[in-house]
Amino acid sequence: MADDKIYVTQEGLEELKKEQENLIHVVRQEVIEDLKAARAQGDLSENADYDAARDRQAQVEARIRELEVMLNNIEIIDDKQGSVRVAKIGSTVKIEELDTHQIDEFTIVGSVEADPLNGKLSNVTPLAEAILEHKVGQIVEVLVDEPYQVKILEIR
């Protein structure tokens, strides 16, 4: 993961930074207080509160390290740059599935921000990979177990 670019919008970057700040300055301090309180109870060998606090500390520290790696490998999706002639990460795309005539619209984002239920599709999904670098009016094939075709109706 250290060499892989992580694509996020400016909004996504701010959310990751906010999470990191909260973990470092708030949650980490809470865990330290929990550890102090558990130590004060005496025997650590059979102290469930101490074990739970140590587990939480490990989880918090692992997430902080994960966020540091992510933030060092981020590439901002500039959704205002260039032309909307081809689909790129950051584009909002309206498509029609040719076999069902269902019309869908979503924004292509990096995997960190992916939220399909809210219209944010990861750039590494088969659908997004099929659409990327294609133009309005083009028909592309989505390579899954049962391939299907979609027509790009709009890119913005």
Side-chain angles (χ1 to χ4, degrees), residues 116-133:
L117 297 177
N118 289 306
K120 293 182 177 184
L121 189 65
S122 169
N123 65 306
V124 297
T125 62
L127 177 57
E129 287 179 341
I131 292 169
L132 287 170
E133 301 303 321

Side-chain angles (χ1 to χ4, degrees), residues 5-155:
K5 285 292 177 195
I6 297 169
Y7 297 97
V8 296
T9 60
Q10 186 65 41
E11 178 184 321
L13 174 62
E14 297 307 319
E15 288 297 317
L16 291 172
K17 285 181 177 179
K18 205 182 316 179
E19 179 184 358
Q20 182 187 41
E21 288 296 312
N22 182 57
L23 287 172
I24 290 171
H25 299 293
V26 177
V27 177
R28 187 183 263 170
Q29 294 306 315
E30 291 171 356
V31 170
I32 289 170
E33 293 303 317
D34 290 347
L35 283 169
K36 285 180 185 176
R39 278 192 197 112
Q41 294 175 12
D43 184 11
L44 298 181
S45 64
E46 294 183 17
N47 187 328
D49 289 341
Y50 181 75
D51 291 340
R54 292 288 297 174
D55 288 345
R56 184 164 182 232
Q57 180 183 38
Q59 291 171 346
V60 167
E61 295 303 322
R63 181 62 179 162
I64 290 170
R65 284 190 303 277
E66 181 182 26
L67 287 167
E68 286 172 1
V69 169
M70 289 169 60
L71 290 169
N72 287 330
N73 291 291
I74 279 188
E75 186 162 319
I76 300 293
I77 300 167
D78 185 358
D79 54 3
K80 295 179 180 43
Q81 106 176 354
S83 153
V84 291
R85 294 176 194 215
V86 297
K88 298 196 175 296
I89 298 176
S91 297
T92 297
V93 182
K94 184 184 284 188
I95 60 161
E96 176 185 2
E97 291 186 36
L98 294 183
D99 56 347
T100 64
H101 300 291
Q102 179 177 334
I103 295 178
D104 290 307
E105 183 174 291
F106 52 84
T107 301
I108 301 172
V109 297
S111 57
V112 172
E113 288 182 275
D115 185 359
L117 297 177
N118 289 306
K120 293 182 177 184
L121 189 65
S122 169
N123 65 306
V124 297
T125 62
L127 177 57
E129 287 179 341
I131 292 169
L132 287 170
E133 301 303 321
H134 287 90
K135 301 176 183 179
V136 170
Q138 285 188 301
I139 295 173
V140 297
E141 186 167 19
V142 181
L143 301 175
V144 290
D145 289 341
E146 293 185 29
Y148 61 97
Q149 292 184 324
V150 298
K151 181 176 183 177
I152 302 171
L153 303 175
E154 183 182 334
I155 301 172

